[in-house]
């Protein structure tokens, strides 16, 4: 039986396509956000902030109670370590996790093969494994600081190609780069997950390559990741419902 999550149909409803980032400091706060968005959010993201504060038991508890969890720990290490971390993520029952594509082809392909083997052995669904290209908080200057010459888009397309060749299920990029990724990678099943979503009138915070949710979906993003625009709203449920309505109006 093929239990690969990658074989799941592409997301269609706006609700399914919005991943809410649980960027908070404790389990109590995370549960408050989840409570505010119960029945409205399609998936939640646990990143390094909450994971470091609250640990894997919270993730296991959320997946066991039926929540779709994107574990955003951006693994980047030697191939063996990343593969073993990937297996640990699969053991937690997460729906999606990510690795840095800059870790290279061997790191990505070893992670996929060891996680796939683990899931087959245990008859469990393989998490979607997504490659981080260039963070949405980076621009030309950020890249030049670390010795990468040229605009972020060039590096994004290069890393997306590497991730696709290694067999990853998709990439994280800015919604501005989805068109270029789709043009470069012909596989229609290759997913794009895009943070950097802002209302046009809102602050960008530390994000530099941003769009609105409507632009992201119009550009072909499969999933958008949204944190502060929902977390910092006076009424989080209303903020998420308004984003869903904006996206639905364009579908
Ligand atoms: O608050 P905001 O909507 O900017 O949150 C975006 C979320 O997406 C954060 O949790 C951030 O860590 C995450 N992220 C990102 N850029 C990436 C990968 C993940 O902003 N390339």
């Amino acid at each position: 039986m093929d239990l690969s999550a990658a074989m799941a149909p592409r997301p269609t409803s706006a609700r399914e396509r919005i991943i809410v980032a649980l960027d908070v400091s404790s389990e109590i706060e995370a549960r408050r956000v989840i409570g505010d968005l119960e029945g409205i959010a399609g998936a939640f993201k646990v990143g390094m902030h909450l994971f470091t504060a609250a640990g894997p038991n919270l993730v296991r508890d959320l997946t066991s109670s039926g929540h779709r969890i994107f574990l955003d720990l951006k693994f980047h290490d030697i191939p063996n370590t990343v593969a073993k971390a990937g297996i640990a993520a699969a053991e937690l029952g997460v729906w999606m996790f990510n690795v840095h594509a800059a870790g290279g082809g061997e790191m990505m392909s070893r992670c996929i093969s060891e996680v796939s083997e683990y899931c087959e052995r245990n008859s469990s669904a393989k998490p979607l494994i997504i490659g981080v290209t260039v963070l949405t908080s980076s621009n030309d200057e950020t890249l030049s600081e670390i010795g990468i010459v040229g605009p972020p888009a060039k590096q994004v397309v290069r890393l997306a190609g590497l991730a696709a060749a290694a067999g990853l299920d998709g990439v994280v990029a800015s919604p501005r780069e989805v068109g270029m990724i789709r043009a470069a990678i012909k596989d229609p099943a290759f997913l794009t997950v895009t943070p950097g979503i802002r209302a046009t009138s809102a602050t960008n915070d530390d994000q530099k390559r941003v769009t609105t949710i409507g632009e992201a979906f119009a550009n072909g993003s499969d999933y958008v990741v949204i944190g502060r625009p929902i977390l910092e709203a006076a009424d989080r449920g209303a903020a998420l419902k308004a984003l869903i309505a904006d996206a639905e109006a364009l579908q």
Side-chain angles (χ1 to χ4, degrees):
M1 182 174 28
D2 186 352
L3 293 160
S4 170
M7 299 306 285
R10 294 180 84 81
T12 48
S13 72
R15 178 182 168 275
E16 245 191 298
R17 296 169 71 186
I18 300 176
I19 303 170
V20 178
L22 291 173
D23 290 335
V24 292
S25 308
S26 68
E27 176 167 353
I28 291 176
E29 283 178 82
R31 291 201 184 274
R32 199 173 295 139
V33 175
I34 293 168
D36 288 346
L37 303 176
E38 200 71 64
I40 314 172
F44 291 103
K45 181 175 83 69
V46 175
M48 61 175 80
H49 179 181
L50 179 61
F51 189 83
T52 306
N57 286 342
L58 171 63
V59 176
R60 193 177 288 110
D61 199 58
L62 293 177
T63 61
S64 308
S65 48
H67 289 291
R68 283 202 309 175
I69 299 295
F70 170 17
L71 188 65
D72 174 25
L73 297 181
K74 302 184 181 69
F75 299 136
H76 188 170
D77 208 312
I78 59 171
N80 181 59
T81 303
V82 168
K84 297 300 181 282
I87 291 172
E91 279 171 353
L92 291 176
V94 302
W95 158 68
M96 175 187 282
F97 74 87
N98 57 6
V99 302
H100 264 289
E106 186 194 340
M107 186 200 83
M108 290 187 274
S109 55
R110 176 115 172 241
C111 180
I112 298 162
S113 66
E114 292 202 23
V115 170
S116 302
E117 264 170 44
Y118 167 85
C119 292
E120 257 166 51
R121 254 196 333 273
N122 291 279
S123 303
S124 56
K126 184 189 84 55
L128 293 165
I129 308 179
I130 306 292
V132 178
T133 55
V134 177
L135 297 174
T136 38
S137 54
S138 296
N139 60 13
D140 298 41
E141 286 81 58
T142 328
L143 291 187
S144 102
E145 276 173 1
I146 56 166
I148 296 168
V149 182
K154 193 174 153 215
Q155 181 71 354
V156 167
V157 171
R158 181 190 179 89
L159 290 174
L162 193 63
L168 288 198
D169 297 300
V171 282
V172 186
S174 154
R176 294 185 191 177
E177 288 132 17
V178 172
M180 285 174 249
I181 294 169
R182 295 241 173 269
I185 293 154
K186 306 295 181 203
D187 178 1
F190 194 70
L191 298 170
T192 52
V193 179
T194 61
I197 304 298
R198 290 293 179 272
T200 36
S201 55
T203 159
N204 286 355
D205 302 307
D206 57 348
Q207 298 284 22
K208 301 200 174 79
R209 300 177 356 262
V210 302
T211 71
T212 63
I213 188 167
E215 286 164 337
F217 286 155
N219 290 354
S221 295
D222 292 297
Y223 295 98
V224 293
V225 176
I226 310 181
R228 286 163 289 185
I230 294 170
L231 300 178
E232 293 172 1
D235 182 339
R236 292 172 179 144
L240 178 52
K241 280 183 187 159
L243 284 161
I244 293 172
D246 281 354
E248 277 171 349
L250 292 154
Q251 279 186 339

